[in-house]
Amino acid sequence: MEDEIDECIRKKIQWQQLPGNLKKILNESPKEYERYILEFSIKNQLRFRGSLVRTVRKDERKYYEALIQNSIQRLMLYPYHLADMIVKGLRITPFIYYIEVVALLIELEKSYDTMPNFTAADCLRLLGVGRNEYLELVAKARSLGRRGRSRAIRSLLPRVPLNIPMQTWWRVELGYVLEEDVKPLSEKEKHLIDLLIDQGSQTAGTLDYHVVKILYRRGLIYLDVPITAADKVSVPPLKGFVMNRIAGDYFETLLYKVFVSIDEHTSVAELATVLQVESELVKQAVSLYCRLGFAKCLQPPPVSPQHPSWRDALTTHYHQPYRQIAPLTFDPNVEEDLQMDPVLIKDLPSTSKQELPDAPTSNAGQRVAVLFDSTLAAYLMMGNLSPVVGDSEIEGEARRYLAAAACLRVALRTLRPKLRPLDLLRCEALHALDAPARTRLLTTKYRLAISTAPLSREARAGAAAGSLPHVGPAPPEASTPWMRLYLYHLAGYGPPTLLLTKGKKCCLTAEWRNRQ
């Protein structure tokens, strides 16, 4: 029923039009509905204007202050879709926001793993605070006295954001600028501020890159990553991602759904239709992926005329590899690599030395899904996959991990020439989608599902494949005694079988003993 109330709030249904059964849940109280509207709006970071919360709260500034405070307490991602209100109205840039997030964790002496995955990735991008840096900060904070501890902790954190990669097609927006902020600026910097005041946002690539970078690091401008419904993006092997925990908030859930579903053949509008999600929300998710460097827009808006200073601009994320993975083979002479994305590999490059010249290519809807489970993902990310792959001393679990990875490599080298393009999909990620969305995704993009072996019971490859033709190992239930009993029952034939429930006592007859 809570989901139905949430949907009513999203659709801006007033109390008078609310269904009777929902009114009963809310104890026939309009005030209870108003409280629910406020909590839902803050929790889901809804824009004040144009949403139902405007009818129950009149002070827009206080609403956004409560939204930011709640988001920091819950360690959520910065609400980039509200940057025009948060930066211009409250003067809270993403950098300032994440300073507060990290300071809060340090004050509470929480583990770094407390920070959700995407929040940690954005903190690393803007602050340069990863796991090791965080541990050093916590150690320094423990030596601080109780008096003025909060301010002292913030003094340990970076003063300005890192020099982040920017793209020429991003938009430069004016932030919250005071008269005192303008005084120390150079003439070029003042000119750009005046330009933004007079003419509004500008395409980054048409401006002097060095001036943009300086004003950004001063917090006087912010960057918008515009995504349209027609845009398509590619998702390269994942780097720069932080594996901590899943928070489960609305936007993070959407991010994972989009990440599982997106590919370079599907537009944002088509993806929104497949997932049955508002197009605006999918735009926000894809925009964040491009901002973090996890995705690349295939046809960004043209930039003309492009300022010559962008020739030397930092436009690429130099993420540290997620994990250095050794060659996936028992032969130490082979030097090929295979990178694995923790969720999904898109259009895996061929590792075959001899590519078949007549290998067919397929359009969207004609791809092949190779299903695997989280166990295999864990094998590929284990530190036991060290460079000593040919070492005869590797045994036990470590050798099992290596064998699993090597078998996957052989399978992909064998399948790809005739079944390209292949997408490597994790079953658990598919199960994160609701059944209708999973069915729409698979039938829209794939013609066949092939699953690896062995698969854990939780993978449920058959369910993950849905209605697609599925080639792969039998489900774990097939090898259980219950399956044999079921087959004996259907066939009406089988060896003598006796099923005794736990605690039941019986005496075998002479006839039964003789049959044995």
Side-chain angles (χ1 to χ4, degrees):
M1 284 296 184
E2 287 190 2
D3 291 340
E4 294 183 27
I5 298 175
D6 294 348
E7 190 63 23
C8 288
I9 296 173
R10 286 197 181 276
K11 292 180 178 179
K12 308 171 191 175
I13 297 177
Q14 301 280 355
W15 171 261
Q16 293 80 2
Q17 289 77 42
L18 208 62
N21 62 324
L22 298 184
K23 287 184 177 181
K24 290 181 179 179
I25 294 174
L26 295 167
N27 300 317
E28 301 291 343
S29 171
K31 291 294 183 183
E32 183 69 12
Y33 188 43
E34 290 181 5
R35 184 188 64 79
Y36 205 101
I37 290 171
L38 180 62
E39 290 181 358
F40 176 84
S41 302
I42 289 176
K43 180 180 177 181
N44 291 275
Q45 299 178 326
L46 297 187
R47 183 174 290 272
F48 184 83
R49 298 177 187 179
S51 66
L52 201 56
V53 72
R54 191 175 185 180
T55 65
V56 301
R57 287 292 182 273
K58 303 305 179 185
D59 194 322
E60 185 174 11
R61 182 183 180 87
K62 286 186 177 180
Y63 168 75
Y64 284 120
E65 287 174 349
L67 186 151
I68 285 294
Q69 188 60 35
N70 178 269
S71 298
I72 291 174
Q73 292 291 330
R74 298 177 61 205
L75 310 179
M76 295 175 68
L77 275 162
Y78 181 84
Y80 286 101
H81 62 291
L82 302 176
D84 58 327
M85 303 305 299
I86 305 301
V87 177
K88 293 181 178 181
L90 304 181
R91 210 182 193 193
I92 298 177
T93 63
F95 173 76
I96 293 174
Y97 177 89
Y98 287 121
I99 287 290
E100 293 301 312
V101 168
V102 175
L104 175 65
L105 284 182
I106 294 174
E107 285 185 60
L108 299 176
E109 295 193 358
K110 295 286 188 179
S111 165
Y112 180 77
D113 294 333
T114 306
M115 200 182 305
N117 297 337
F118 285 104
T119 303
D122 211 12
C123 275
L124 181 61
R125 180 180 73 100
L126 293 174
L127 276 62
V129 176
R131 188 179 304 276
N132 293 337
E133 294 79 7
Y134 180 79
L135 292 175
E136 291 177 8
L137 289 168
V138 171
K140 291 179 181 178
R142 285 174 180 161
S143 64
L144 299 174
R146 291 181 177 274
R147 193 171 183 178
R149 176 178 169 81
S150 179
R151 178 174 295 184
I153 287 175
R154 283 161 177 77
S155 69
L156 297 175
L157 297 172
R159 300 297 179 88
V160 294
L162 295 180
N163 182 23
I164 64 168
M166 303 178 190
Q167 299 297 323
T168 56
W169 54 276
W170 291 6
R171 303 289 294 179
V172 175
E173 301 277 356
L174 183 66
Y176 192 130
V177 181
L178 300 174
E179 187 175 343
E180 297 78 35
D181 299 322
V182 179
K183 290 179 180 178
L185 300 182
S186 68
E187 288 303 316
K188 287 184 177 181
E189 293 159 6
K190 290 178 181 178
H191 175 72
L192 180 50
I193 293 292
D194 291 338
L195 178 67
L196 294 173
I197 292 174
D198 296 337
Q199 300 184 21
S201 68
Q202 301 290 314
T203 302
T206 63
L207 307 174
D208 188 316
Y209 167 74
H210 303 292
V211 175
V212 171
K213 181 175 67 174
I214 291 171
L215 293 180
Y216 170 80
R217 300 189 76 189
R218 285 180 176 270
L220 301 181
I221 62 172
Y222 67 95
L223 300 169
D224 180 50
V225 182
I227 294 293
T228 69
D231 283 335
K232 298 178 180 180
V233 301
S234 63
V235 181
L238 193 61
K239 293 181 180 180
F241 192 72
V242 181
M243 295 293 286
N244 278 358
R245 73 176 181 92
I246 296 175
D249 63 71
Y250 86 100
F251 192 56
E252 184 191 65
T253 301
L254 175 63
L255 286 170
Y256 284 113
K257 286 184 178 181
V258 169
F259 200 40
V260 170
S261 311
I262 201 167
D263 64 36
E264 62 273 20
H265 306 288
T266 307
S267 69
V268 169
E270 292 167 341
L271 183 59
T273 301
V274 168
L275 297 178
Q276 294 289 281
V277 175
E278 292 179 25
S279 179
E280 195 60 36
L281 290 175
V282 179
K283 289 179 190 177
Q284 293 172 17
V286 174
S287 174
L288 180 70
Y289 280 131
C290 292
R291 187 185 294 272
L292 297 179
F294 296 160
K296 181 180 180 181
C297 188
L298 295 178
Q299 292 183 325
V303 178
S304 180
Q306 182 168 315
H307 197 281
S309 60
W310 283 83
R311 295 172 184 169
D312 302 321
L314 176 61
T315 58
T316 305
H317 286 79
Y318 292 100
H319 296 304
Q320 291 297 319
Y322 182 78
R323 177 79 73 174
Q324 192 66 34
I325 299 179
L328 303 181
T329 173
F330 287 105
D331 182 0
N333 298 318
V334 177
E335 298 180 353
E336 299 171 282
D337 288 334
L338 175 65
Q339 287 184 316
M340 177 154 184
D341 178 331
V343 179
L344 169 68
I345 294 181
K346 302 289 187 181
D347 248 351
L348 186 73
S350 173
T351 55
S352 175
K353 297 257 185 183
Q354 296 180 347
E355 186 71 34
L356 297 184
D358 61 343
T361 58
S362 303
N363 297 322
Q366 295 299 313
R367 306 172 74 81
V368 175
V370 179
L371 305 180
F372 68 101
D373 65 3
S374 293
T375 305
L376 181 55
Y379 287 174
L380 293 181
M381 291 189 289
M382 286 296 293
N384 287 329
L385 295 179
S386 60
V388 288
V389 292
D391 195 335
S392 59
E393 294 183 1
I394 296 180
E395 57 186 15
E397 285 294 298
R399 194 161 190 83
R400 183 183 174 192
Y401 299 155
L402 183 58
C407 289
L408 175 62
R409 177 185 175 130
V410 171
L412 293 174
R413 292 179 65 180
T414 303
L415 293 173
R416 189 178 187 274
K418 291 297 182 182
L419 294 178
R420 64 161 54 181
L422 293 177
D423 284 353
L424 194 55
L425 304 178
R426 183 166 58 88
C427 293
E428 290 84 352
L430 289 173
H431 291 310
L433 302 173
D434 58 71
R438 183 167 63 246
T439 300
R440 288 191 297 270
L441 170 68
L442 293 173
T443 55
T444 300
K445 295 169 59 175
Y446 300 103
R447 72 179 190 274
L448 174 67
I450 301 174
S451 52
T452 60
L455 288 172
S456 65
R457 187 181 302 273
E458 292 75 17
R460 295 179 288 137
S467 59
L468 291 179
H470 179 211
V471 179
E477 292 79 8
S479 60
T480 63
W482 304 109
M483 178 59 77
R484 291 197 291 272
L485 288 175
Y486 178 67
L487 293 176
Y488 298 160
H489 170 71
L490 286 183
Y493 180 80
T497 304
L498 177 64
L499 173 63
L500 299 176
T501 59
K502 185 176 180 180
K504 187 173 182 179
K505 296 179 180 180
C506 70
C507 181
L508 298 180
T509 63
E511 180 183 356
W512 178 270
R513 288 196 297 269
N514 291 336
R515 291 179 65 182
Q516 296 302 305

